[in-house]
């Protein structure tokens, strides 16, 4: 599979003086990715915004590349592999000095807004954003950050039975875990071999307590039997992986008698 690389260049309204940039060189104070853990769904997409704070750079002195990390745990995307957007619209902000000009020591913000979003065709796992800032003398500074692109996982059909249940009687909780798989028709497949946790919150309470767990069967189903002693709400939680997002089922309230 060919490398997937997004290259974005930004321009600023006011550049730092060339002699100042040459003396100090460019500096990158921070690189922020929002959202820091983007999640893609079937039929949907997510836009990743990169914000760079730097100083001492030339007019077109900030560029970024965004690409899946070969060292991360990322499965290949189905072919043909789409290419991320190669252009973006930057939004530059900075506090002007008293003279109305930006000095070499003043920090400026570049916000990269890619025109095209990431969807399920892109490989999940760790991605790397590399920022290069260059001054008029050709001196460069580089900084890299990472984010995790994840696909959606789902918990379907979660229920707690019987309702109501006798105090200390048997309560059975069941459901099915699925995951987004872009290579199959319908988008989602059953997911076996994954641990799902059962959590409980007493009636009127605010805190969820993890009380049990189960490993999903080959068809994604899981079943847990407990003996409740009080009224409350039950839910199932899948903690997620490096490729798939955390998922929490809807709660099912059960009364005891």
């Amino acid at each position: 599979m060919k490398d997937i690389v997004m290259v974005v260049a930004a321009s600023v309204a006011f550049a730092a003086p060339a002699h100042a940039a040459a003396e100090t060189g460019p500096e990158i104070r921070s690189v922020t990715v929002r959202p820091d853990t983007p999640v893609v769904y079937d039929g949907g997409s997510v836009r990743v915004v990169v914000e760079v704070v730097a100083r001492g750079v030339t007019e077109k002195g900030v560029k970024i590349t965004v690409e899946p990390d070969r060292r991360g745990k990322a499965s290949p995307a189905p072919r043909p592999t789409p290419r991320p957007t190669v252009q973006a619209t930057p939004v530059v902000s900075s506090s002007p000095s008293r003279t109305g000009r930006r000095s070499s020591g003043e920090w400026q913000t570049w916000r990269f807004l890619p025109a095209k979003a990431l969807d399920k065709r892109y490989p999940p796992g760790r991605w790397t954003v590399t920022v290069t800032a260059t001054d008029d003398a050709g001196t460069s500074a580089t900084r890299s950050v990472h984010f995790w692109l994840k696909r959606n996982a789902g918990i379907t059909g979660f229920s707690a039975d019987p309702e109501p249940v006798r105090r200390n009687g048997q309560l059975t909780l069941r459901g099915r875990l699925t995951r987004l798989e872009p290579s199959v028709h319908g988008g989602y497949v059953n997911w076996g071999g994954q641990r799902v946790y059962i959590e409980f919150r007493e009636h009127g309470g605010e805190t969820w307590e993890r009380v049990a767990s189960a490993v999903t069967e080959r068809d994604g189903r899981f079943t847990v039997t407990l003996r409740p002693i009080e009224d409350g709400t039950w839910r199932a939680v899948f903690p997620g992986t490096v490729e798939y997002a955390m998922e929490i089922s809807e709660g099912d309230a059960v009364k005891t008698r």
Side-chain angles (χ1 to χ4, degrees):
M1 181 182 69
K2 295 183 179 179
D3 292 342
I4 304 173
V5 181
M6 182 194 304
V7 181
V8 187
S11 62
V12 299
F14 297 92
H19 64 84
E23 291 176 1
T24 63
E27 296 181 71
I28 301 173
R29 183 169 69 181
S30 64
V31 180
T32 305
V33 180
R34 296 189 180 92
D36 58 356
T37 308
V39 180
V40 296
Y41 298 80
D42 187 36
S45 60
V46 60
R47 295 185 183 277
V48 175
V49 178
V50 180
E51 188 173 273
V52 179
V53 179
R55 65 182 176 185
V57 299
T58 189
E59 183 179 356
K60 295 183 179 180
V62 178
K63 295 182 179 181
I64 69 171
T65 62
V66 182
E67 57 189 337
D69 194 336
R70 293 179 179 179
R71 294 172 297 179
K73 185 180 178 182
S75 59
R79 297 187 179 185
T81 301
R83 293 183 61 83
T85 304
V86 296
Q87 296 293 332
T89 303
V91 177
V92 183
S93 62
S94 179
S95 301
S97 63
R98 292 182 180 178
T99 62
R101 298 182 62 186
R102 291 175 171 84
S103 65
S104 62
E106 190 172 358
W107 296 102
Q108 297 174 311
T109 301
W110 283 260
R111 188 172 297 114
F112 296 89
L113 308 174
K116 186 176 181 180
L118 298 173
D119 57 33
K120 66 181 182 180
R121 296 171 296 172
Y122 292 95
R126 194 171 81 163
W127 285 58
T128 299
V129 178
T130 302
V131 178
T132 302
T134 307
D135 64 14
D136 286 331
T139 304
S140 297
T142 302
R143 185 166 180 173
S144 296
V145 299
H146 305 286
F147 70 90
W148 295 86
L149 179 65
K150 297 192 176 187
R151 291 174 180 163
N152 174 239
I155 296 176
T156 61
F158 178 74
S159 65
D161 298 299
E163 299 181 39
V165 63
R166 292 184 179 277
R167 188 178 300 272
N168 287 319
Q170 286 193 345
L171 180 70
T172 301
L173 304 104
R174 56 172 59 89
R176 172 176 283 169
L177 179 68
T178 63
R179 73 172 189 269
L180 176 62
E181 180 53 64
S183 62
V184 302
H185 179 70
Y188 288 85
V189 297
N190 298 327
W191 199 1
Q194 301 299 309
R195 186 164 296 277
V196 174
Y197 295 91
I198 302 299
E199 294 184 347
F200 174 76
R201 184 180 65 191
E202 64 182 11
H203 179 69
E206 297 181 354
T207 303
W208 290 93
E209 179 184 1
R210 186 165 291 181
V211 296
S213 69
V215 176
T216 58
E217 301 293 337
R218 181 176 298 181
D219 62 358
R221 296 181 184 274
F222 60 89
T223 303
V224 175
T225 301
L226 299 171
R227 294 183 179 276
I229 60 174
E230 57 185 329
D231 297 352
T233 302
W234 302 84
R235 71 180 186 183
V237 177
F238 171 63
T241 69
V242 296
E243 296 184 351
Y244 286 88
M246 179 181 184
E247 175 69 6
I248 300 176
S249 74
E250 294 184 358
D252 192 358
V254 177
K255 291 184 177 181
T256 58
R257 62 181 181 181

